[in-house]
Amino acid sequence: MKLMHRKWTEDQFYKVRKEVLNQWHTGKGIDIEHAASYLQSVPKHKSFHRKMIEADREGKILLQPRAGVGGLQEHIKLLHNLEKSGADILPTTIDSFTRQNQYEHCEEAIRETSRLGRSMLNGFPAVNYGVEKCKLVFESVNLPLQARHGTPDARLLSEIVHASGWTSNEGGGISYNIPYAKKVSLERSLLDWQYCDKLVGIYEELGIRLNREPFGPLTGTLVPPCVSNAVAILEGLMAAEQGVKSITLGYGQLGNLCQDVAAIRVLKELAQEYFDRFEYEGIELTTVLHQWMGAFPNDETQALALISWGSVTAKYAGVTKIIVKTPQEALGVPTAESNAQGIRMSRAMLNWVGNQNVLSTKELTFEIDMLRIETRCIIDRVIELGVGDPSIGTVKAFEQGVLDIPFAPSLFNKGKMLPARDLSGAVRIMNFDKLPIAEEIKQIHRENLKRRALEEGRLIGIQMVIDDVNEVSRGRFI
């Protein structure tokens, strides 16, 4: 199929679906009508979109950790522990073999896990386990379940998890390609994620509302908010075109309170603006903040302080959900106890902030105004490149550097735009390259970085970028 920003017909979808379900034996025989019947029986309290929209209306913030292990019973036990620790929504992080569609390698790792008595996988192998075992996971817990992964081609994975009662799937054709893969073309991943979104759209037509959540943080390292917001909104438009009605747009914490709060508020405002422009009606739009996604401090006290700061940011930004980190992030895969500690710390900080959710300063107003201009500049240029087609425009934008994600491994990303922090810890842009930002806004970035360089007695250059990548692991933003 040729990439276009156009809703797939059912004939197009079912033609591709035959190939998708044959990728691995667990896909054979998945029937959408039968799966819809099963999804109809999902209790309201285990429906992702219901929990999110109810929290959004009531002004509550939900907590969701990140976790997943290879063993079936071990994963169920892990989810039970997270449930008891106060999580509001449960994750299932998928293993790396599945993310690369390497199901044969995954099968071998499952056999080795059984033989050795310890997990040889860094996540849950949902495709290899298939629908019945994934249903067992869903039926063993009492909260909504979401698949979280990093898969450029998540078509079979999406079929299996949705047929198993999992009512949300994270990712998108940009956010689960450019930051995660090296050689997958953007055109390929956008088409594959159109399939995932069309699948959700088909369930919607059958009366089943499933949630889609583009991955907001991207590389999680000094990504300017205008870039991450533009990508999130573009992926939201792509999902809406295929009939998705429940969309959660995400953002990765950068550290400066005003900038982060402004970014999330602008993200929701402009997303609705572009949904209206493209005449997508009835979208349930919610937001999620990912607590710091870069290198974490080794020191537990510093790590807990960073987690707490993310919760304060989320409260002032008014997000619907927080992706919670743990004090063991710097040490490897967190334990269940560490996950529980991260949840408790986040909950405690939200309680401390209480109803102090009004933040109104001239700095915040400045950041909001600037981000509106920057984000519109990028998205409008992408749409212009596609002659009104955001999907085609996205491919051309990455080819030309109009969209550029820092520190991404993809060969289809220019990697020439460079960010750095100013004296307040806000992320500014040092080298714009082809990023289509208005000249007066570019000058604001340059002046902020110049003030930092003068204060520190240094040059504006690559060493500043390197220092900023490493500083948070040392317990500070600057």
Side-chain angles (χ1 to χ4, degrees):
M1 283 179 59
K2 184 179 179 181
L3 177 66
M4 295 179 70
H5 188 76
R6 183 178 296 173
K7 189 173 184 178
W8 286 26
T9 66
E10 292 204 4
D11 285 346
Q12 288 172 321
F13 175 79
Y14 282 106
K15 182 178 180 181
V16 174
R17 191 169 187 262
K18 292 178 181 178
E19 169 198 330
V20 170
L21 296 186
N22 281 317
Q23 285 182 350
W24 191 249
H25 66 87
T26 53
K28 296 174 182 176
I30 297 177
D31 179 77
I32 287 180
E33 296 283 350
H34 179 76
S37 177
Y38 181 74
L39 284 162
Q40 287 281 10
S41 69
V42 170
K44 290 183 179 180
H45 67 277
K46 294 177 71 172
S47 167
F48 190 101
H49 94 90
R50 287 183 184 275
K51 191 139 191 174
M52 289 290 286
I53 203 67
E54 286 171 6
D56 195 61
R57 288 168 182 162
E58 296 169 10
K60 293 181 179 178
I61 298 179
L62 305 175
L63 300 181
Q64 179 182 12
R66 301 159 68 244
V69 294
L72 180 62
Q73 293 305 321
E74 290 78 9
H75 184 64
I76 291 172
K77 181 180 178 182
L78 173 61
L79 295 183
H80 285 165
N81 286 335
L82 296 176
E83 200 168 1
K84 292 174 185 175
S85 299
D88 297 302
I89 292 173
L90 294 174
T92 291
T93 302
I94 304 300
D95 71 283
S96 295
F97 287 133
T98 301
R99 297 177 204 176
Q100 299 302 317
N101 311 108
Q102 295 175 349
Y103 308 126
E104 291 182 3
H105 293 317
C106 191
E107 195 73 14
E108 177 61 27
I110 292 171
R111 287 194 291 268
E112 284 295 288
T113 294
S114 178
R115 185 177 69 84
L116 298 173
R118 57 187 176 89
S119 181
M120 301 301 290
L121 292 164
N122 63 348
F124 186 78
V127 169
N128 287 66
Y129 279 150
V131 171
E132 292 309 312
K133 288 182 179 178
C134 288
K135 276 185 179 179
L136 182 60
V137 174
F138 172 73
E139 292 169 358
S140 299
V141 298
N142 205 37
L143 294 172
L145 195 56
Q146 181 187 47
R148 307 185 69 86
H149 37 108
T151 313
D153 176 7
R155 295 175 297 173
L156 182 55
L157 175 63
S158 300
E159 287 274 5
I160 287 173
V161 299
H162 290 321
S164 305
W166 303 17
T167 49
S168 180
N169 186 22
E170 185 192 38
I174 307 168
S175 61
Y176 267 6
N177 179 357
I178 302 298
Y180 280 92
K182 183 177 181 180
K183 298 180 180 180
V184 179
S185 76
L186 196 54
E187 186 169 7
R188 180 70 263 159
S189 63
L190 290 177
L191 275 168
D192 289 345
W193 276 92
Q194 281 184 345
Y195 178 99
C196 300
D197 289 329
K198 176 63 178 178
L199 175 65
V200 172
I202 287 174
Y203 279 119
E204 177 72 30
E205 292 171 2
L206 293 171
I208 310 296
R209 180 151 296 180
L210 302 175
N211 173 268
R212 284 278 295 106
E213 183 181 313
F215 180 63
L218 302 175
T219 53
T221 308
L222 301 179
V223 181
C226 59
V227 173
S228 60
N229 277 3
V231 170
I233 292 168
L234 287 166
E235 290 193 330
L237 290 173
M238 294 171 193
E241 175 63 24
Q242 298 304 325
V244 179
K245 294 295 185 182
S246 174
I247 299 174
T248 301
L249 299 184
Y251 173 81
Q253 178 192 6
L254 292 174
N256 177 283
L257 181 63
C258 281
Q259 186 178 52
D260 286 340
V261 169
I264 293 166
R265 292 185 184 179
V266 170
L267 173 61
K268 192 168 186 180
E269 174 194 331
L270 292 190
Q272 190 60 58
E273 178 182 305
Y274 281 95
F275 288 151
D276 291 343
R277 184 188 297 187
F278 280 81
E279 300 182 347
Y280 298 133
E281 298 179 350
I283 303 294
E284 292 180 354
L285 176 60
T286 51
T287 53
V288 52
L289 172 80
H290 295 248
Q291 290 175 350
W292 178 250
M293 290 289 289
F296 246 73
N298 282 295
D299 179 80
E300 183 174 309
T301 303
Q302 295 283 3
L304 288 170
L306 182 56
I307 289 168
S308 298
W309 189 235
S311 299
V312 171
T313 302
K315 184 67 174 179
Y316 282 122
V319 299
T320 319
K321 183 180 74 167
I322 302 174
I323 301 298
V324 177
K325 302 304 282 291
T326 81
Q328 289 187 346
E329 296 293 330
L331 306 178
V333 179
T335 63
E337 292 75 17
S338 181
N339 256 311
Q341 192 177 10
I343 294 169
R344 289 195 300 268
M345 176 59 76
S346 298
R347 181 77 66 199
M349 185 53 68
L350 290 176
N351 290 339
W352 274 111
V353 178
N355 292 324
Q356 302 176 71
N357 54 2
V358 177
L359 181 66
S360 180
T361 67
K362 63 179 182 180
E363 291 85 3
L364 177 60
T365 301
F366 171 81
E367 293 291 345
I368 287 174
D369 290 343
M370 190 166 75
L371 272 170
R372 279 196 192 109
I373 296 169
E374 292 175 333
T375 306
R376 284 194 186 110
C377 280
I378 296 172
I379 297 176
D380 288 348
R381 179 61 179 144
V382 170
I383 294 170
E384 181 184 340
L385 285 172
V387 195
D389 186 311
S391 298
I392 293 173
T394 294
V395 175
K396 291 183 177 179
F398 274 98
E399 288 174 351
Q400 297 180 21
V402 167
L403 271 173
D404 197 357
I405 298 172
F407 316 114
S410 175
L411 296 174
F412 300 90
N413 183 68
K414 292 290 187 186
K416 291 184 177 180
M417 183 268 288
L418 277 179
R421 294 187 186 274
D422 67 15
L423 281 172
S424 72
V427 172
R428 306 301 180 192
I429 299 173
M430 178 186 295
N431 179 21
F432 288 85
D433 194 47
K434 296 299 194 310
L435 214 63
I437 303 298
E439 190 58 38
E440 63 269 24
I441 300 295
K442 288 182 179 180
Q443 193 58 33
I444 294 171
H445 285 259
R446 294 176 184 131
E447 289 171 359
N448 275 276
L449 292 175
K450 184 178 179 181
R451 279 195 289 271
R452 176 184 170 188
L454 289 171
E455 177 75 18
E456 297 179 350
R458 67 192 298 179
L459 296 174
I460 298 174
I462 190 64
Q463 190 57 50
M464 187 181 284
V465 180
I466 294 169
D467 291 344
D468 288 348
V469 170
N470 294 322
E471 278 310 282
V472 176
S473 65
R474 297 171 182 148
R476 55 192 179 229
F477 288 112
I478 285 286

